[in-house]
Amino acid sequence: MPVNPAHTALWPAPHASEAVDATVHVPGSKSVTNRALVLAALASEPGWLRRPLRSRDTLLMAGALREMGVGIEETVSSSSSVAGGADGAGEAWRVLPAGLRGPATVDVGNAGTVMRFLPPVAALADGPVRFDGDPRSYERPLNGVIDALRVLGARIDDDDRGALPLTVHGSGALDGGPVEIDASSSSQFVSALLLSAPRFNQGVEVRHIGSSLPSMPHIRMTVDMLRAVGAQVDTPESGGEPNVWRVTPGALLGRDLTIEPDLSNAQPFLAAALVTGGRVLIPDWPARTTQPGDRLREIFTEMGGSCELADYGLVFTGSGSIHGIDVDLGDVGELTPGIAAVAALADSPSTLRGVSHLRLHETDRLAALTKEINELGGDVTETADGLHIRPRPLHGGIFHTYDDHRMATAGAIIGLAVAGVQIENVATTAKTLPDFPDLWAGMLGVSGV
C-alpha cells in the first residue's frame, strides 16, 4: 500500500518572534459531538447538532451510524467552510433515527469513541456489524466492552482477542441488566455501556471493579448528556454506590444541541500565550462544562499565566515566565502532551502523575513524549504512572507524532520557543482539530505554513 505523503512530510513549526495577541475560534468538542451523535441516533425523534466538529473521528462516527441505517443530513451555510468555518457557526447536522440494521461494516480509524461506543449500538441492530480500523486500533483495549456485552446478552466474534477486528451479531434488542467491568484502562468502557443502556430491555447497572478509574470528567459528560435527553441515571455523585452507574430503560428525546468548543483542543493556543508571554482569547468558553479541558485554567495559571472568564469567552495571558508543576492528571490525561511540552520550557522541574493509561492511547504517549523531547535536548524520564521533566536548553530537530494528534500539537508548542523544530505528519491533527496549521499561523499572524 502506498504511503500517504502527508504522513512523512515535515512541517516547520513556526517560531514566535514576539508575544502572541490573538482570538482563536476553536471548533466543536469531539467528545460532545460523538456522544451527541450516538444519543441522537438512539432517540425516538429527530434531533439537531449545531456547530458539530467535522474531523476524522466525528466523520467516522457519522459514517458508521449511516452504515447502520441512521439518517444524518448536513447543512453548511455559505459563510462556513468544509471544516466547519472558523467556529462552525454555519453548520448543523440533522439526525433522523431509524431501525438499526445490518449487515454493515464500520471503519473506526483509530477513534476510541467509535470503537468503544458503537458495539453496544450494533447489538441493537438487526443483523451483523463488522468493526475494523487502523493497525493501531488492533492494539487498543476493547475487552471491557466486549466482555460486558456478552454478559448482557450480545453475540460477538473476536477470535478471543478482546480487540479489533470483530463482528457484533445484532438481534434487534439486548437484555441488559447488571454487569461488572474493569475500566481502569479506559473510562470509555463505562460510557459505552451507559450511552446505549436506555434502549436495553432492562437498562444497565455497570459496576467498575478495577483499580482507579481514569478520566472521570468524561463519564460525568456522558451522564449529563444522557439526562439532558430524558434518561434516568443513578451515579455515585447522586447518592448511589461508589463505582456503580444505573440507567433505567426508556425513550430518548431528540434535542437541538449546540456543541461547545473543544477545550482540550484549545490547549496549544493557551499554551502559546504562556510560552510567549502573550494573550489569547477563546470565544464561547462555557461557564459550566464537564470537558476535561476546563482544568487548563487552573493548571496553566499555576504554571505562570492568568485567566479571565467572561460572557464572551476565556482570556488567557502569559506572564513571561513558565513554572514547573507537580500535578495528578489522572482525570485529564489527554492534556498531558501539551503540559509536558510547556514543562520542558519551564524554569523548574515538573512531575506529571496518574497517567499510566496513556500508554494505551493513540500511541504510548509517555514513551513518545520522553523520546521526542529528549531528542531535542530535553531531560525527561518515565515513571510508573507519568513523567518527570527537568528543563534544559532545547534545539531544533524532527518531532515525530506516531499518528497522534496531541503529539503534533505538543511539538508545535515547543517550536514556538525553539527554532528549527519540524513536525512529522502534522496532518494527523485532523483527527480532532481540522486545519490546525492554518489556525496556528493565524494566531501568530503569519502566512499559512
Side-chain angles (χ1 to χ4, degrees):
M1 179 180 296
V3 176
N4 186 334
H7 293 178
T8 56
L10 296 179
W11 178 70
H15 182 62
S17 58
E18 58 186 16
V20 301
D21 185 0
T23 296
V24 180
H25 292 268
V26 177
S29 164
K30 177 208 74 174
S31 298
V32 175
T33 299
N34 274 358
R35 282 166 173 78
L37 280 169
V38 172
L39 292 173
L42 296 175
S44 59
E45 56 191 354
W48 286 92
L49 277 64
R50 303 189 188 275
R51 298 190 184 183
L53 174 67
R54 281 183 59 91
S55 71
R56 188 184 186 213
D57 280 15
T58 60
L59 294 176
L60 285 169
M61 179 67 84
L65 291 169
R66 288 188 180 108
E67 278 285 311
M68 288 188 275
V70 177
I72 302 175
E73 300 174 350
E74 303 182 35
T75 63
V76 185
S77 75
S78 59
S79 62
S80 179
S81 75
V82 294
D87 60 2
E91 181 149 4
W93 292 353
R94 187 170 186 240
V95 182
L96 304 168
L100 298 167
R101 65 169 186 259
T105 299
V106 168
D107 176 11
V108 309
N110 192 17
T113 51
V114 181
M115 72 179 70
R116 291 164 182 152
F117 291 178
L118 288 188
V121 176
L124 300 168
D126 184 9
V129 180
R130 176 171 173 78
F131 289 80
D132 208 339
D134 297 352
R136 172 62 179 172
S137 72
Y138 292 13
E139 303 172 17
R140 300 184 68 181
L142 198 53
N143 56 298
V145 174
I146 295 170
D147 295 344
L149 286 175
R150 285 180 173 142
V151 170
L152 297 174
R155 183 162 72 91
I156 300 174
D157 293 337
D158 70 332
D159 293 332
D160 297 323
R161 286 184 302 269
L164 293 170
L166 59 85
T167 298
V168 179
H169 294 274
S171 60
L174 195 66
D175 290 339
V179 64
E180 293 183 343
I181 65 171
D182 181 352
S184 54
S185 62
S186 176
S187 69
Q188 289 177 351
F189 294 168
V190 174
S191 288
L193 299 172
L194 299 184
L195 285 167
S196 294
R199 291 282 302 272
F200 299 167
N201 294 337
Q202 303 172 46
V204 80
E205 176 188 281
V206 179
R207 185 179 300 269
H208 167 62
I209 57 170
S211 56
S212 61
L213 190 58
S215 303
M216 281 296 296
H218 278 128
I219 296 179
R220 288 192 284 272
M221 176 187 293
T222 298
V223 169
D224 281 4
M225 293 184 69
L226 275 162
R227 288 172 172 163
V229 294
Q232 181 178 329
V233 188
D234 295 324
T235 70
E237 293 85 0
S238 61
E241 297 178 58
N243 292 326
V244 177
W245 293 262
R246 295 183 179 89
V247 180
T248 301
L252 297 178
L253 306 174
R255 278 199 67 193
D256 191 324
L257 176 67
T258 299
I259 307 297
E260 299 173 353
D262 193 312
L263 306 188
S264 294
N265 278 340
Q267 182 181 37
F269 306 101
L270 300 182
L274 188 56
V275 168
T276 68
R279 172 188 175 277
V280 168
L281 163 63
I282 308 293
D284 302 319
W285 192 287
R288 178 189 175 276
T289 182
T290 51
Q291 287 193 61
D294 193 46
R295 196 165 162 214
L296 288 167
R297 294 190 290 151
E298 167 199 338
I299 294 170
F300 278 172
T301 295
E302 186 174 344
M303 296 186 80
S306 62
C307 64
E308 176 189 357
L309 182 59
D311 290 342
Y312 51 82
L314 179 74
V315 177
F316 188 84
T317 306
S319 63
S321 298
I322 306 172
H323 310 311
I325 192 171
D326 186 329
V327 62
D328 188 328
L329 299 175
D331 277 353
V332 293
E334 66 195 53
L335 304 180
T336 302
I339 293 169
V342 173
L345 304 170
D347 57 15
S348 58
S350 294
T351 299
L352 313 184
R353 295 177 282 106
V355 288
S356 59
H357 60 286
L358 294 189
R359 295 187 170 98
L360 301 171
H361 275 226
E362 281 82 345
T363 187
D364 179 341
R365 285 178 170 167
L366 301 184
L369 287 164
T370 299
K371 178 177 182 295
E372 297 309 312
I373 295 174
N374 286 352
E375 288 195 354
L376 299 182
D379 185 0
V380 181
T381 54
E382 283 192 60
T383 65
D385 71 338
L387 300 172
H388 187 62
I389 302 167
R390 290 164 292 274
R392 292 175 55 180
L394 302 181
H395 55 73
I398 297 174
F399 195 94
H400 299 91
T401 64
Y402 310 89
D403 292 326
D404 186 332
H405 56 132
R406 301 210 190 278
M407 287 296 296
T409 52
I413 292 168
I414 292 174
L416 289 172
V418 180
V421 174
Q422 299 181 82
I423 311 298
E424 170 263 341
N425 188 16
V426 75
T428 195
T429 54
K431 185 176 193 292
T432 62
L433 187 53
D435 298 329
F436 169 73
D438 288 340
L439 287 169
W440 200 245
M443 174 193 69
L444 293 168
V446 300
S447 59
V449 289

